[in-house]
Amino acid sequence: MSVAPVLRRSLSFRVLSRSLATHANVVTDKDCSSITPPYAQLLENLDHVRRQLGNRPLTLAEKILYSHLYKPEDIGNAEIVRGASYLQLRPERVAMQDASAQLQFMSAGLSRTAVPSSIHCDHLIQASTGADADLARALDSNQEVFEFLESAARKYGIEFWKPGSGIIHQIVLENYAAPGMLMLGTDSHTPNAGGLGMLAIGVGGADAVDAMTGTPWELKAPRVVGIRLTGKLSDWVTPKDLILHVAGKLTVKGGTGHILEYYGPGVFNQSCTGLATVANMGAEVGATTSTFPYTPRMRAYLEATRRGPVARAADEAAAKGFLSADEGAEYDEHIDINLSDLEPTINGPFTPDLATPLSKFGSFVKKQGWNDELSAALIGSCTNSSYEDMTRAADLARQAKAAGLKSKVPFLCTPGSEQIRATMQRDGLTTALEDVGALVLANACGPCIGQWKRDDHKENENAILTSFNRNFKARNDGNRRTMNFLASPTTVTAMAFSGKLSFNPMTDSISLPSGGSFKFSPPAGQDLPSAGFAVGNTAFYPPPTPEPQAETEVVIKPDSQRLELLEPFPSPFDNNPRGLELPALKVLLRVKGKCTTDHISAAGPWLKYKGHLTNISENLRKLRRQATNDEGGEVNVAFDHDHDASQSKTDTIPGVAKRFKARNCPWALIVDENYGEGSAREHAALQPRFYGCAMIIARSFARIHETNLKKQGVLPLWFADKNDYARIGSGDIIETVGLVDLLGGDCNAQVRIDVRKRDGSTFQIPTKHTMSNDQLKWLRAGSALNHIRSQMAS
């Protein structure tokens, strides 16, 4: 790739040592002009909507959403129905992870983004030997991608956080989040920023492009679950245990289509970063996002992170009733939780909603017949890498060192940001952890998303304990038999010194070499550093609110294996003999059970191809952890009923998809419940579309993935009768009936499916849809981006 000299100079930070971090306490406020919500305008918008809604009491989530309506004056006398109405919204900010949205934005033809935006490089740093070496290796192996991202940021006036600066969600919380804000991020854990009393929503790259181009962003008005917190967490219990408990109650799909809104006196006892942990893992129950009323501890966090102007503006907005729910606001569901009743909780394996109280976990392990051995302990990640988390872990480490103990298993620590890393180093937390055997990794996602070069336990069953948020099979180390149990950093750290899954640090002791025993005292933590946050290596950070540099050349080499310009997908209705019905589709597969976006488009080493659709699509073919075929029960095996003599009857799922594509045979999938749960991985929609998928019929969809499919021109339909799922199999031919009416403007039209079985028999089944008028325009154009381009051209 051809890159201007100024770009090469900008990447010279890679030769700087992390030991050069600046530790001075900086008390000067940042320029907060681009990150302070326009509260006066938001309040004016909200007052207009209130009047139209009859001045009924509103939840906090409603206040934030309705104040961000694209044209609040257009609401007229229409009632907004939660769970039914579509809202046209104007987000204030976009955060992008690696090469997810930039290629799509570039094709829109604009000279700058319509809202402040940022790019973060946290997915491409593999954890192996330690922070410095891992970062240096990542910079060399991913230089082409990093240079592309930085040049694109420069050209369009986007803030670029260099590799090593930290995890997107921690950086957003430390720098951009503000009470009452509405923002989008291209990752499912974007809701982390809800810890500052805002709505932060995870989306695919195409949704981010809506906001970046100034196009109204559409969201079905979520229902709101009110979670009232009372009481106070006990010594060993953390906010992570609260959300692990909530995940156990709601399950992985219990929050789908909902915002989780916490309130009550128990909220005010929690740190801002603790609330961020709770909001972060709301994604594990399928929630659109989570939020909390503005609290004094949020204000303190804003002040500590040099955002005093935001805090003062939020104080005024809160005084006018904007940053909390109205008295008497109604929730669609309600949950009461007494924090005093909670105990440490461990969730897993293989799903984040299997919650077991710590006091019962040992017997749970024994009942399952698992080996009572811990193989690794990992703390950090976007979920739990705050200063408070690390001070609690360091306190336990110091207790263990004083007793002469070291970790009995590999103990890995991931700081969430350069600010956290530098503050840990200055305040002795890093030393405390390293003294007992911890390996401190680079400020990046690392093992949480599969970027972990693990040399042991490659095939055998083993158990790891992490403070991460997600634990699907093979997610962390590529081994389907690795059981990842989720817990708080406190629990993970303490158990690392025992090496046993059955160990309960609240009650159990550890035998010492001297013959005595040692029992942990409850850990002590600190919310905010007494000396303020250290700045760290400023070479990682972008200049604030950069102006676009139109002369910047963003070049992708024609033979690049890492980057590829996106070619527009064709409309399924072009040259279609069926007109505005989808062409006849062959069913590729009936997928059984859990099928996450990790199953569809795996992460780990494949993330390096996020900017190259052709290459990343190969990950479907080469990995073994794929969807289960309901016709035979095999993993990643599909039938090709039309194979010729040179081809096998079966192949991998994408292998058969590629055969269909070569035959110009569009196809469909039949899938089970909560299809596409997990990461907001847009490639899980792009890759099937690339191979020729035109429709997916599900028992139910996860929110982000369903939207991603719509954005890429794939029609998602829901079985009206879930029993019809089993009536359609591979090789069947299916055709839509009634789609023409839907596309013609009748949103109440029902799409039916004509099914022709391989034996010649036929029948018809009804379906449901969630398509809005705008989403139907995407389908007709072939993708949302195609539609946006056509609108701009006109």
Side-chain angles (χ1 to χ4, degrees):
M1 175 160 56
S2 171
V3 184
V6 65
L7 178 55
R8 294 196 182 279
R9 287 199 300 272
S10 71
L11 286 174
S12 63
F13 73 95
R14 63 179 176 269
V15 303
L16 297 178
S17 169
R18 290 157 59 93
S19 64
L20 297 180
T22 302
H23 296 319
N25 181 25
V26 180
V27 296
T28 305
D29 279 332
K30 301 173 183 175
D31 178 357
C32 295
S33 57
S34 69
I35 60 175
T36 304
Y39 289 120
Q41 182 62 57
L42 296 178
L43 283 162
E44 182 180 327
N45 294 348
L46 185 59
D47 284 344
H48 181 88
V49 177
R50 273 187 186 279
R51 290 193 297 272
Q52 300 303 317
L53 298 180
N55 291 309
R56 65 173 172 84
L58 299 176
T59 67
L60 172 59
E62 289 180 299
K63 289 182 180 182
I64 299 175
L65 285 174
Y66 301 164
S67 65
H68 286 86
L69 285 172
Y70 195 80
K71 291 184 177 180
E73 65 275 9
D74 286 354
I75 185 176
N77 294 318
E79 175 69 11
I80 297 176
V81 180
R82 298 194 302 227
S85 302
Y86 276 93
L87 306 177
Q88 301 282 318
L89 300 167
R90 191 189 299 270
E92 293 166 55
R93 175 171 289 278
V94 169
M96 292 170 280
Q97 202 166 44
D98 302 315
S100 53
Q102 295 83 340
L103 287 164
Q104 295 181 72
F105 175 74
M106 287 169 59
S107 66
L110 298 183
S111 61
R112 68 184 307 157
T113 61
V115 297
S117 304
S118 57
I119 295 173
H120 306 262
C121 303
D122 56 7
H123 267 45
L124 298 179
I125 303 172
Q126 187 182 53
S128 179
T129 57
D132 289 336
D134 292 347
L135 179 58
R137 185 169 52 255
L139 289 167
D140 287 337
S141 61
N142 300 299
Q143 181 176 357
E144 178 185 6
V145 176
F146 293 150
E147 288 182 344
F148 159 74
L149 293 174
E150 185 160 17
S151 62
R154 180 180 294 105
K155 186 175 183 70
Y156 299 108
I158 300 171
E159 295 188 13
F160 178 70
W161 291 80
K162 295 182 177 70
S165 59
I167 304 172
I168 179 174
H169 311 305
Q170 184 69 22
I171 289 175
V172 166
L173 189 70
E174 293 173 353
N175 295 275
Y176 298 134
M181 178 185 281
L182 173 66
M183 72 162 285
L184 305 182
T186 59
D187 185 88
S188 59
H189 292 107
T190 298
N192 187 81
L196 259 171
M198 61 180 286
L199 295 185
I201 300 177
V203 297
D207 272 23
V209 170
D210 284 348
M212 294 166 71
T213 58
T215 303
W217 176 66
E218 188 173 73
L219 177 72
K220 181 180 283 189
R223 294 184 172 90
V224 186
V225 177
I227 303 180
R228 184 172 184 267
L229 303 182
T230 58
K232 186 177 181 181
L233 298 174
S234 58
D235 290 338
W236 279 95
V237 184
T238 72
K240 179 64 167 282
D241 298 300
L242 165 61
I243 188 58
L244 293 174
H245 172 77
V246 170
K249 290 178 69 70
L250 290 178
T251 77
V252 290
K253 63 177 183 176
T256 302
H258 294 72
I259 290 175
L260 306 185
E261 181 172 313
Y262 296 79
Y263 70 102
V267 170
F268 292 80
N269 295 327
Q270 311 307 313
S271 67
C272 175
T273 52
L275 296 180
T277 293
V278 175
N280 180 296
M281 274 199 68
E284 303 340 305
V285 299
T288 302
T289 192
S290 302
T291 194
F292 308 84
Y294 182 53
T295 71
R297 295 184 77 171
M298 292 181 191
R299 188 187 204 286
Y301 185 75
L302 286 168
E303 294 280 5
T305 51
R306 302 168 53 213
R307 289 175 285 173
V310 177
R312 291 185 285 275
D315 288 344
E316 294 182 14
K320 297 175 182 178
F322 181 51
L323 300 179
S324 60
D326 291 331
E327 187 71 29
E330 294 186 3
Y331 296 96
D332 297 279
E333 297 179 35
H334 194 270
I335 299 173
D336 276 295
I337 298 176
N338 185 342
L339 300 176
S340 304
D341 293 338
L342 298 183
E343 66 171 286
T345 300
I346 298 178
N347 286 28
F350 306 136
T351 185
D353 60 349
L354 179 58
T356 306
L358 180 60
S359 61
K360 299 179 181 179
F361 189 68
S363 58
F364 173 65
V365 170
K366 184 177 181 180
K367 181 179 179 181
Q368 301 301 318
W370 293 326
N371 189 353
D372 186 17
E373 298 289 339
L374 185 63
S375 66
L378 302 93
I379 62 173
S381 81
C382 68
T383 323
N384 282 108
S385 54
S386 68
Y387 187 77
E388 182 178 36
D389 290 328
M390 296 304 172
T391 54
R392 289 171 65 91
D395 181 73
L396 293 174
R398 291 186 181 111
Q399 291 184 43
K401 181 185 177 183
L405 293 174
K406 284 203 169 188
S407 174
K408 288 190 176 180
V409 297
F411 183 26
L412 281 61
C413 171
T414 306
S417 69
E418 173 63 7
Q419 175 176 281
I420 290 295
R421 183 210 64 80
T423 309
M424 287 175 60
Q425 182 179 345
R426 181 199 64 195
D427 294 352
L429 308 183
T430 303
T431 300
L433 293 168
E434 290 178 337
D435 282 349
V436 294
L439 175 65
V440 178
L441 303 173
N443 312 321
C445 297
C448 184
I449 57 156
Q451 289 285 24
W452 183 14
K453 188 177 182 296
R454 191 182 189 194
D455 295 325
D456 62 343
H457 300 287
K458 291 187 176 182
E459 299 289 340
N460 61 304
E461 183 176 280
N462 70 104
I464 63 175
L465 198 62
T466 81
S467 67
F468 303 160
N469 46 33
R470 199 159 276 163
N471 58 354
F472 303 134
K473 286 184 179 181
R475 178 177 174 88
N476 305 110
D477 60 4
N479 179 2
R480 288 175 54 85
R481 303 184 69 196
T482 293
M483 297 182 289
N484 177 1
F485 295 97
L486 307 174
S488 72
T490 300
T491 300
V492 174
T493 301
M495 292 180 72
F497 294 98
S498 166
K500 300 290 186 182
L501 291 172
S502 60
F503 179 68
N504 183 346
M506 297 176 64
T507 58
D508 298 345
S509 298
I510 298 174
S511 298
L512 298 174
S514 62
S517 64
F518 163 76
K519 184 174 180 294
F520 283 108
S521 298
Q526 189 173 339
D527 177 6
L528 300 171
S530 301
F533 285 105
V535 175
N537 189 338
T538 57
F540 286 125
Y541 305 150
T545 59
E547 284 296 313
Q549 298 181 27
E551 71 281 3
T552 302
E553 185 179 13
V554 182
V555 180
I556 298 175
K557 294 185 297 185
D559 60 348
S560 173
Q561 296 301 303
R562 299 293 300 276
L563 299 166
E564 177 183 55
L565 289 174
L566 288 174
E567 295 294 330
F569 291 124
S571 168
F573 307 105
D574 290 344
N575 303 312
N576 177 13
R578 301 194 71 233
L580 291 181
E581 299 289 350
L582 287 178
L585 307 176
K586 186 178 291 292
V587 175
L588 175 67
L589 179 74
R590 188 171 72 228
V591 178
K592 178 181 179 180
K594 183 188 286 286
C595 189
T596 72
T597 51
D598 273 59
H599 289 83
I600 305 164
S601 177
W606 289 96
L607 289 173
K608 65 184 178 182
Y609 295 123
K610 283 183 72 174
H612 199 293
L613 180 56
T614 302
N615 283 348
I616 198 172
S617 295
E618 290 294 313
N619 74 0
L620 290 175
R621 182 170 63 87
K622 294 185 177 180
L623 291 185
R624 292 176 297 166
R625 54 177 185 171
Q626 288 306 312
T628 301
N629 189 331
D630 193 37
E631 300 173 274
E634 293 183 278
V635 173
N636 196 20
V637 173
F639 298 99
D640 181 6
H641 300 287
D642 300 318
H643 67 94
D644 59 31
S646 67
Q647 296 173 318
S648 58
K649 180 180 179 180
T650 63
D651 199 347
T652 62
I653 295 170
V656 174
K658 291 173 79 171
R659 295 184 190 182
F660 283 11
K661 183 177 182 179
R663 298 171 193 155
N664 293 316
C665 174
W667 50 273
L669 284 176
I670 306 301
V671 298
D672 214 328
E673 296 279 8
N674 207 29
Y675 179 73
E677 72 171 274
S679 299
R681 194 159 296 146
E682 190 171 32
H683 287 85
L686 282 164
Q687 289 167 227
R689 180 72 164 97
F690 176 74
Y691 281 134
C693 181
M695 181 170 65
I696 298 178
I697 311 178
R699 280 175 163 164
S700 65
F701 287 96
R703 176 191 65 86
I704 298 178
H705 187 60
E706 183 184 26
T707 301
N708 286 345
L709 291 170
K710 294 176 181 179
K711 286 283 186 177
Q712 301 307 331
V714 178
L715 176 63
L717 295 176
W718 301 54
F719 286 106
D721 181 349
K722 293 185 178 183
N723 292 321
D724 286 336
Y725 157 87
R727 300 178 67 190
I728 306 174
S730 64
D732 294 349
I733 302 297
I734 59 177
E735 296 180 337
T736 59
V737 179
L739 183 59
V740 60
D741 300 322
L742 199 59
L743 290 169
D746 181 4
C747 280
N748 295 317
Q750 184 181 60
V751 179
R752 301 173 303 284
I753 302 296
D754 277 344
V755 182
R756 185 168 76 250
K757 301 291 291 181
R758 291 178 57 235
D759 63 8
S761 61
T762 63
F763 58 88
Q764 189 178 86
I765 63 169
T767 67
K768 300 181 293 182
H769 73 89
T770 61
M771 303 290 287
S772 69
N773 282 325
D774 280 340
Q775 292 167 355
L776 289 167
K777 295 174 184 176
W778 308 341
L779 178 66
R780 188 164 183 170
S783 73
L785 194 55
N786 289 353
H787 176 65
I788 291 174
R789 273 195 296 262
S790 68
Q791 295 299 106
M792 291 182 173
S794 61

